[in-house]
Amino acid sequence: MSTAAKPMPMVALTGGIASGKTAVSDRLAALGIPVVDTDLIARDVVAPGTPGLAAVETAFGPAVLRPDGALDRKALGSKVFQNAAARERLEGILHPLIEAEARVRVRRLPAAPYCVLVVPLLVESGLFADADLVVVVDVPETLQRQRLAARDGVDDLTVDRILAAQAKREVRLARADRVIENTGSPADLKDRVDRLHADLLEHFGPRP
């Protein structure tokens, strides 16, 4: 009598801005683990001609569109960045679309010991509560600030606002099943990710 294969385990990868999530997911992908990145999906669900873009235009007006009909992210950001109610309205539009599309993509992934779902706002959004395991990429806020300023060229006030819109470090860590500290060199991080991968292979066991 045949039995259905177990669903592929889903690992949710999260962390604050400039913590190194992309470096971690890129290394896991190089190790053969399929990755779905919700940051990329967030762009796809508001591409020209999508219901997501139409809903954003209805909510925030035609000024959030560029002349070519694509989303003007800077204009939209100016409406929601310092306005909690507007940000919640935008998230109410986008989060269900992002989650639905992410689940479709996960189901289409090739078989693997586990898959990784990169969700920067996992804690803030409450999405993907059914993830089999949560990995948090962690850095101290002082280092996070340095990296964000160097990467994006933003001033201290902008950094303050960005960090204020995200979950506190201790809240993310409380949600973690595994933590990767990213305070060293790229080589250090690679070694930590490789050890995490070995740990997850053992944790999830062989696939049927």
Side-chain angles (χ1 to χ4, degrees):
M1 180 177 176
S2 63
T3 58
K6 294 187 297 183
M8 181 164 51
M10 184 170 67
V11 174
L13 176 68
T14 192
I17 191 168
S19 61
K21 296 180 295 296
T22 299
V24 172
S25 64
D26 284 352
R27 177 56 188 164
L28 289 170
L31 292 169
I33 299 303
V35 174
V36 172
D37 191 333
T38 61
D39 263 354
L40 301 179
I41 293 174
R43 293 182 176 274
D44 292 343
V45 299
V46 290
T50 59
L53 183 59
V56 170
E57 181 186 5
T58 297
F60 297 99
V64 299
L65 299 184
R66 301 198 313 241
D68 64 359
L71 181 64
D72 187 329
R73 296 182 181 280
K74 185 175 181 179
L76 179 61
S78 69
K79 290 180 177 289
V80 304
F81 190 54
Q82 298 183 62
N83 185 323
R87 186 168 64 248
E88 289 177 4
R89 188 177 186 187
L90 179 63
E91 290 170 350
I93 294 169
L94 297 184
H95 285 175
L97 297 173
I98 293 168
E99 181 166 28
E101 177 61 22
R103 291 185 184 280
V104 168
R105 296 188 187 189
V106 166
R107 288 195 296 270
R108 292 173 178 170
L109 291 175
Y114 64 94
C115 66
V116 169
L117 187 60
V118 183
V119 192
L121 298 181
L122 179 78
V123 175
E124 296 87 341
S125 68
L127 299 177
F128 307 104
D130 60 335
D132 295 281
L133 191 142
V134 174
V135 174
V136 171
V137 186
D138 182 55
V139 295
E141 186 175 306
T142 52
L143 184 55
Q144 191 180 15
R145 287 175 172 275
Q146 293 170 12
R147 289 176 177 173
L148 182 57
R151 187 190 74 183
D152 296 349
V154 293
D155 58 29
D156 290 342
L157 181 58
T158 301
V159 171
D160 289 342
R161 290 170 176 166
I162 292 172
L163 294 181
Q166 297 196 338
K168 296 294 185 184
R169 181 186 182 193
E170 58 268 22
V171 176
R172 277 194 301 270
L173 289 174
R175 182 75 174 84
D177 298 301
R178 303 287 191 278
V179 176
I180 290 188
E181 294 180 1
N182 183 20
T183 55
S185 68
D188 291 334
L189 181 62
K190 176 179 176 292
D191 288 343
R192 291 176 187 272
V193 177
D194 288 357
R195 290 197 296 271
L196 171 71
H197 176 60
D199 173 34
L200 295 181
L201 291 177
E202 182 177 356
H203 176 79
F204 291 121
R207 301 287 296 153

